[in-house]
Amino acid sequence: MSDSMTFALPDDDRALLVGRVWRDAPHPGPALVVVRDGRVVDISANVACMADLLERDDTAALVATAQGEDLGPVEELLARSLAETPEAPYLLAPCDVQAIKACGVTFAVSLMERVIEEQAGGDPARASELREELRQVIGGDLSKIVPGSEAAMALKAELQARGAWSQYMEVGIGPDAEVFTKAQPLSAVGFGRGVGLHPASEWNNPEPEIVLAVDAAGRARGATLGNDVNLRDVEGRSALLLGKAKDNNASCAIGPFIRLFDDGFTLDTVREATVSLRIEGADDDFVLEDSSDMRQISRDPLELVRQTLGAHHQYPDGFMLFLGTMFSPIQDRDGAGQGFTHHLGDVVTIATPSLGALVNRVDRSDRLPPWTYGIRQWMADMARRR
């Protein structure tokens, strides 16, 4: 990682950045902050929480002008947040009471790997052999198939006839996207904190993604970065174990800030983004670098929003929506044919120029600090601040 913290910030100094920090004084608890002119300003006296800020019609003006306590240079905040035992103020995940949702199988590459996980039954040793078998059976370029189209339904019929259909194919090229609950409100970890692997998992990987911040009306108000930590062996045994594979202590990382949409940063920026991933091993000098090209996503981000919120389901506090990833690492790490899996201590950096970088270190969910700060404590702290 760079000695300078500028790598964690967008490459555009006009970016409207909002986030949350933990403060010990004047009262312990979370505070809403903005970044202005390279400094962090606590604007909690102006708006109570991130969900409220994203509902306002004057959000951009408030971010630009709201008065508040200066907490120092943003680079110092980022450096403190990376410390093993951070000193307040340090970064939290930038969302608070919003639901945290995620979309799966939105890229052709990840679709193939999900089918492999399913057919391997969670055994990484079978993945390489199955990968070649599936290429021969499926053939063609799945990324050119529009989900729900006539061509997609024709391919479905053909694969069913050949006994190669999968529930992952259904959400990958069928009309309905996979949308699931990734984590509970207030449970996500932020920049610099440890991300957790369930202790039962022996085959796992990060999932670098762009995350939309969506208000209660379904308007995408901004975006940030996320790590939708994935347990390939657990979900591969059964898709019904998705909750066990996805929602564990510290298994959801979001940050470092939400960048608000404006004339210089739009949904088209997200659509054109390339999200890079770097994994640095602490015990074996392993380095893996890869990327996800959002131009290869099979469903438009706004289509994923529409499938999440509508007459069928509302989110009165808004929601954070992981858009999915094409990243499914197959680089051998621990032996030929074994593919990739995390080691404890891995440093994961997820980055894109318009959003900066999210950095986390990998540990086990049962060794990381337990999630104890819930809605009741948050409400008590909000009342104390008022």
Side-chain angles (χ1 to χ4, degrees), residues 1-8 75 79 82 191 278 280 349 359:
M1 291 182 294
S2 169
D3 292 333
S4 169
M5 291 293 105
T6 56
F7 79 99
E75 287 200 30
L82 274 177
F191 177 92
R278 181 178 174 87
E280 301 168 79
T349 301
V359 182

Side-chain angles (χ1 to χ4, degrees), residues 107 206-211 223-228 255 269-278 288-297 322-328 348-358:
F107 289 82
E207 290 196 347
E209 305 188 25
I210 289 180
V211 184
T224 185
L225 294 166
N227 186 350
D228 176 15
T269 314
V270 170
R271 293 181 177 109
E272 295 293 317
T274 297
V275 181
S276 66
L277 173 75
R278 181 178 174 87
L288 183 151
E289 292 184 312
D290 210 325
S291 62
S292 284
D293 186 343
M294 289 295 293
R295 288 171 294 187
Q296 295 188 37
I297 197 168
F322 282 73
L323 296 179
T325 183
M326 64 180 289
F327 179 75
S328 294
V348 179
T349 301
I350 297 167
T352 194
S354 62
L355 292 171
L358 172 64

